[in-house]
Amino acid sequence: MKRLPAFDFARHGLGVADAIQRVIGSQDTFVPLHEPEFSESAWALVKDCLDTGWVSSVGKYVDQFEQEIAVASNAAFGVAVVNGTAALQVAMLATGVSPGDEVIVPALTFVATANAVAHAGAVPHFVDSNEATLGMDAGALATHLERIATRRNGATFNRRTGRRISAVVPMHVFGHPVDMDALNAVASAYGLPVIEDAAEALGSEYKGRPCGSLGRIGAFSFNGNKILTTGGGGAVVTDDEDLAKRVKHLTTTAKVPHRWAFVHDEIAFNYRMPNLNAALGCSQLEELDARLALKRRLASRYSDAFTGMGGVKVVQEPEGCRSNFWLNALRIDTDDVAQRDRLLATLNDRQIMARPVWTLLHRLPIFATSPRADLPVAEKLEVQLINIPSSAHLGNDPSKQE
Ligand SMILES: *Cc1c(COP(=O)(O)O)cnc(C)c1O
């Protein structure tokens, strides 16, 4: 294939804005990246909580939501929690991450992945991304571990820092599945559990299997900007009954079941999702399939709109995968941040919200001393990725189409 010319704002900038505008139609107000959407049933279920008084940490919707999120992700067990960060933290604690350990995470992820590692008392250890999936690269991980890791008494240690490495946490960027088979294989060679940060990937599929249940344990987020929302919320899913029980115990103040006695057998968390939020979640889950279809259609419209445009392409779902297309992303062919920033300014001036991908986490002063691998791909992606409006309803109003 002929290589298209590199991105040049002067030549392509306005074309990008026009292409997005053609897809989303005319607009009177600022178009955000992702808006929550609610159906009629949301009102009924939330009202039921208010009518019955079951608004807090006990109630039937919590149980229902836990069962339904397990089904949706093809896991045997689900535990609903207060947010995705808490879900990741307890998933780590349950799989044996201990204070002073290192946990392998991508440098290119939302800060919550690394925050959760720190909340578990461990240190994030950053590795590189894959060009096609944007997520953790299995080959680069294997090369890095070969260089720095050593196995001793059934555990894996970082030879340079002396710390134990105790888990690998891949993340499905914008809903695009990472290569979980390859990552599971590398992790298992070092005896490391894989904790899936599936916060962005509810409804995505890897080789026909739903994201969230592809490692030892997985975490979802239902924050307001995610594909489904409970206002704020998260869930842990796993096929391992002991792990699920451990997560439930840790997130419910480690209370030992008893008819009246308050016995708590460790210092634990109050991370349980309130019934009010779970009711909203049950309503949202009813809409998941329809929403996935709309988002797939929007993604394909963006793809068509950018076909043949020099220097820009729409990020596609990886081969053999179905993405939930939570956030659409453009990849601009440049290594010049100024080019990207001019494009961001133009789009935002036109009332089209656009945002760069996250700052690589090792650049944040809070994680500056964390160990890391070489990050050539992540560093390139950091300059090249731009998120564009991705709400499910966008572009579906025929009267607004040009
Ligand atoms: C949203 C998100 C989280 C955290 O979820 P919260 O519910 O906001 O705590 C974790 N990881 C990734 C990759 C996310 O996008």
Side-chain angles (χ1 to χ4, degrees):
M1 234 171 63
K2 182 163 98 0
R3 197 176 179 316
L4 293 166
F7 181 81
D8 171 6
F9 179 81
R11 287 178 55 201
H12 305 115
L14 295 180
V16 171
D18 289 342
I20 295 172
Q21 201 91 64
R22 275 200 302 280
V23 172
I24 65 179
S26 60
Q27 43 168 109
D28 320 321
T29 50
F30 192 71
V31 183
L33 281 194
H34 199 282
E35 283 179 301
E37 293 173 38
F38 304 101
S39 67
E40 282 299 310
S41 79
W43 295 91
L45 299 190
V46 170
K47 184 171 186 302
D48 183 44
C49 295
L50 299 177
D51 288 343
T52 58
W54 292 103
V55 295
S56 192
S57 44
V58 196
K60 67 177 180 186
Y61 293 115
V62 174
D63 300 331
Q64 186 185 328
F65 186 64
E66 289 182 335
Q67 278 161 24
E68 289 179 356
I69 198 66
V71 169
S73 56
N74 196 32
F77 305 95
V79 180
V81 297
V82 287
N83 58 50
T85 311
L88 283 168
Q89 181 195 355
V90 293
M92 289 178 207
L93 295 175
T95 46
V97 172
S98 302
D101 288 353
E102 288 177 12
V103 173
I104 307 277
V105 301
L108 185 75
T109 182
F110 180 53
V111 69
T113 318
N115 281 347
V117 173
H119 294 325
V123 176
H125 181 142
F126 301 114
V127 297
D128 205 11
S129 309
N130 177 277
E131 290 267 356
T133 67
L134 313 179
M136 190 184 285
D137 186 83
L141 175 65
T143 307
H144 182 61
L145 287 175
E146 228 162 83
R147 196 175 299 157
I148 62 115
T150 176
R151 297 273 291 157
R152 206 179 331 125
N153 306 326
T156 296
F157 291 85
N158 181 339
R159 262 201 299 264
R160 295 174 181 171
T161 62
R163 287 188 287 244
R164 186 172 79 116
I165 297 173
S166 56
V168 177
V169 187
M171 193 279 276
H172 307 292
V173 179
F174 310 145
H176 302 301
V178 294
D179 188 353
M180 281 296 291
D181 284 349
L183 287 166
N184 277 330
V186 175
S188 113
Y190 288 87
L192 301 172
V194 173
I195 298 163
E196 233 180 308
D197 183 346
E200 304 181 358
L202 179 66
S204 296
E205 288 178 14
Y206 172 80
K207 299 184 181 173
R209 293 176 282 147
C211 289
S213 58
L214 304 168
R216 269 292 289 292
I217 191 165
F220 290 112
S221 165
F222 309 108
N223 192 38
N225 63 342
K226 297 303 200 297
I227 188 160
L228 298 190
T229 186
T230 57
V236 176
V237 294
T238 180
D239 284 333
D240 183 326
E241 185 168 9
D242 292 333
L243 274 183
K245 283 185 174 153
R246 178 89 191 111
V247 166
K248 183 68 127 204
H249 194 61
L250 279 172
T251 53
T252 53
T253 64
K255 186 175 184 298
V256 180
H258 189 277
R259 283 175 67 197
W260 52 75
F262 286 102
V263 178
H264 305 264
D265 62 5
E266 62 189 300
I267 300 173
F269 306 94
N270 173 17
Y271 278 173
R272 197 163 159 82
M273 178 186 283
N275 200 48
L276 198 54
N277 302 75
L280 198 51
C282 291
S283 155
Q284 290 269 292
L285 271 173
E286 293 169 6
E287 295 173 63
L288 179 59
D289 289 345
R291 193 161 303 174
L292 289 170
L294 288 176
K295 289 180 79 73
R296 171 162 291 273
R297 194 164 74 163
L298 177 63
S300 111
R301 285 186 178 160
Y302 274 136
S303 250
D304 292 347
F306 282 91
T307 302
M309 191 180 298
V312 188
K313 52 190 187 206
V314 178
V315 173
Q316 302 292 320
E317 64 194 348
E319 223 178 287
C321 298
R322 274 178 87 80
S323 177
N324 67 1
F325 289 103
W326 170 55
L327 284 189
N328 284 286
L330 299 179
R331 187 163 170 190
I332 58 174
D333 185 5
T334 187
D335 52 12
D336 180 2
V337 171
Q339 293 282 335
R340 179 199 72 184
D341 287 350
R342 287 179 72 187
L343 180 59
L344 287 172
T346 297
L347 294 175
N348 283 281
D349 285 349
R350 278 236 213 153
Q351 308 266 78
I352 297 167
M353 183 168 174
R355 198 186 60 180
V357 74
W358 314 283
T359 300
L360 296 184
L361 296 184
H362 71 285
R363 297 196 205 281
L364 299 180
I366 49 177
F367 295 122
T369 59
S370 285
R372 64 175 192 263
D374 295 335
L375 304 166
V377 177
E379 283 167 2
K380 193 162 64 170
L381 292 172
E382 184 187 34
V383 180
Q384 297 186 338
L385 292 173
I386 284 184
N387 288 118
I388 56 176
S390 300
S391 300
H393 66 85
L394 284 176
N396 287 307
D397 180 352
S399 67
K400 286 190 169 182
Q401 222 78 57
E402 275 176 31

